[in-house]
Amino acid sequence: MKVEALIFNLIALFAIVAAVVYGLWSREPIGTTALALSAGLLGLIGGFFWFVARRIDSRPEDLKDAEIADGAGELGFFSPGSYWPFGLAVSAAMMGLALAFFHVWLILMAGAALLITIGGLLFEYYSGQNAHS
């Protein structure tokens, strides 16, 4: 995670410098705002990776003298198949349309659908026949 944190934080630093230079040179607020927000989002991701990297053991990717065999073994649990991402995509598309046309009734329906699908995806393996411990 240290490598990922470094990459994102360096790109965030570049975006900050680019925002300052662009803002002073062009005096155009939209591009400056976009660069500043990009820097903030990159810094948020880089900060999260840095925060996680301090709390976990070093991975083979973080060691300069690591071998390919160091990364062998179980990598974690990955879902073999689920329909929840499709429902989440449909709900998000419905919310996008609802916000684009600003139909309050559709925003409420899409919000409810989003909450249901997010909850279904999040708790998929905590209940029912798929539950594991």
Side-chain angles (χ1 to χ4, degrees):
M1 288 283 178
K2 293 176 184 172
V3 174
E4 292 90 343
L6 180 66
I7 289 171
F8 275 97
N9 288 330
L10 285 176
I11 297 173
L13 182 65
F14 171 77
I16 290 170
V17 171
V20 169
V21 170
Y22 184 81
L24 293 175
W25 194 359
S26 71
R27 308 242 186 252
E28 194 265 321
I30 304 300
T32 307
T33 303
L35 283 168
L37 289 175
S38 297
L41 290 174
L42 286 162
L44 186 71
I45 296 169
F48 172 75
F49 283 156
W50 174 75
F51 181 78
V52 170
R54 293 183 342 164
R55 284 166 173 65
I56 63 172
D57 295 333
S58 292
R59 301 175 307 152
E61 293 88 353
D62 296 330
L63 304 173
K64 292 185 186 290
D65 60 343
E67 297 290 330
I68 294 176
D70 294 339
E74 186 169 333
L75 298 176
F77 175 76
F78 298 97
S79 178
S82 173
Y83 291 109
W84 286 110
F86 178 73
L88 185 61
V90 170
S91 301
M94 188 166 64
M95 180 61 87
L97 284 174
L99 290 172
F101 293 114
F102 201 72
H103 292 301
V104 177
W105 61 273
L106 192 56
I107 292 173
L108 294 174
M109 284 178 49
L114 272 171
L115 289 176
I116 291 168
T117 54
I118 289 170
L121 183 64
L122 183 64
F123 296 114
E124 181 174 17
Y125 293 102
Y126 290 104
S127 63
Q129 68 181 7
N130 295 324
H132 62 73
S133 52

